[in-house]
């Protein structure tokens, strides 16, 4: 189908991009919003891992984050208006959310434990992995607005 052909093209572009003269984290983390048609990925081309954006047809890579430490594992919200990612900019791994322009960054988890691997539920709730209770479990936020409260699932 057309969608499968497009997916193969994006994957091929991701494998071939960037040229070998630029270093990239060993496994490029890709996340694409169907509505935005923009690929978000982690790269260390500026030193430490940062989140960058590129259109599926190629073009210029746009830097989204600029923090000391790691910014990795981007995930677009289902409506394409928000991007969640893992960052240790505050000293430990947390889940942050930003807009596509990178104008505002919000720490969604704000915990002393490890919070990693954000993923969006189809209804727009944010899920992630955490070791808040000792072992690693899946947590799902009730909403992005409501006190940033999380439920274990």
């Amino acid at each position: 189908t057309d969608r499968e052909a497009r997916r193969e093209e994006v994957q091929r572009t991701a494998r071939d991009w960037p040229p070998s003269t630029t270093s990239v984290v060993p496994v490029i983390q890709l996340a694409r919003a169907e509505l935005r048609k923009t690929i978000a990925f982690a790269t260390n081309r500026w030193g430490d891992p940062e989140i960058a954006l590129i259109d599926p047809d190629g073009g210029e890579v746009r830097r989204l984050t600029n923090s000391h430490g790691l910014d990795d594992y981007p995930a677009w919200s289902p409506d394409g208006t928000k991007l969640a990612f893992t960052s240790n900019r505050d000293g430990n791994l947390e889940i942050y959310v930003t807009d596509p322009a990178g104008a505002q960054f919000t720490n969604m988890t704000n915990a002393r434990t490890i919070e990693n691997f954000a993923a969006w539920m189809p209804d727009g709730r944010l899920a992630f992995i955490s070791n808040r209770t000792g072992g690693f479990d899946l947590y799902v936020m009730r909403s992005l607005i409501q006190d940033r409260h999380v439920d274990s699932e």
Side-chain angles (χ1 to χ4, degrees):
T1 67
D2 186 46
R3 185 174 184 185
E4 289 170 346
R6 187 70 181 140
R7 179 178 291 138
E8 288 177 40
E9 179 183 335
V10 168
Q11 290 172 344
R12 187 174 48 259
T13 301
R15 280 192 305 270
D16 298 338
W17 181 262
S20 59
T21 58
T22 305
S23 60
V24 177
V25 289
V27 177
I28 296 174
Q29 300 297 327
L30 295 177
R32 185 175 77 157
E34 289 296 322
L35 298 176
R36 289 202 52 79
K37 306 288 188 217
T38 302
I39 299 170
F41 65 101
T43 176
N44 64 357
R45 67 182 62 216
W46 300 289
D48 56 2
E50 301 290 347
I51 306 297
L53 305 175
I54 190 169
D55 295 326
D57 59 356
E60 187 175 330
V61 173
R62 300 176 307 279
R63 186 175 184 167
L64 185 68
T65 63
N66 186 8
S67 71
H68 298 290
L70 173 134
D71 292 331
D72 206 350
Y73 308 113
W76 284 112
S77 62
D79 64 3
T81 62
K82 295 178 254 349
L83 186 73
F85 62 96
T86 299
S87 180
N88 67 354
R89 62 184 61 203
D90 66 354
N92 64 307
L93 294 176
E94 302 277 5
I95 303 299
Y96 280 77
V97 171
T98 188
D99 58 281
Q104 181 178 2
F105 296 89
T106 304
N107 182 338
M108 300 304 297
T109 50
N110 210 9
R112 293 183 178 163
T113 53
I114 296 172
E115 321 288 341
N116 208 350
F117 309 115
W120 294 90
M121 306 290 282
D123 64 4
R125 291 181 298 152
L126 190 58
F128 60 95
I129 302 297
S130 176
N131 67 343
R132 292 176 178 207
T133 58
F136 286 95
D137 289 309
L138 175 65
Y139 290 79
V140 178
M141 292 190 168
R142 290 183 187 166
S143 96
L144 293 183
I145 301 167
Q146 197 175 37
D147 299 330
R148 293 191 202 85
H149 181 81
V150 294
D151 289 331
S152 176
E153 293 205 349

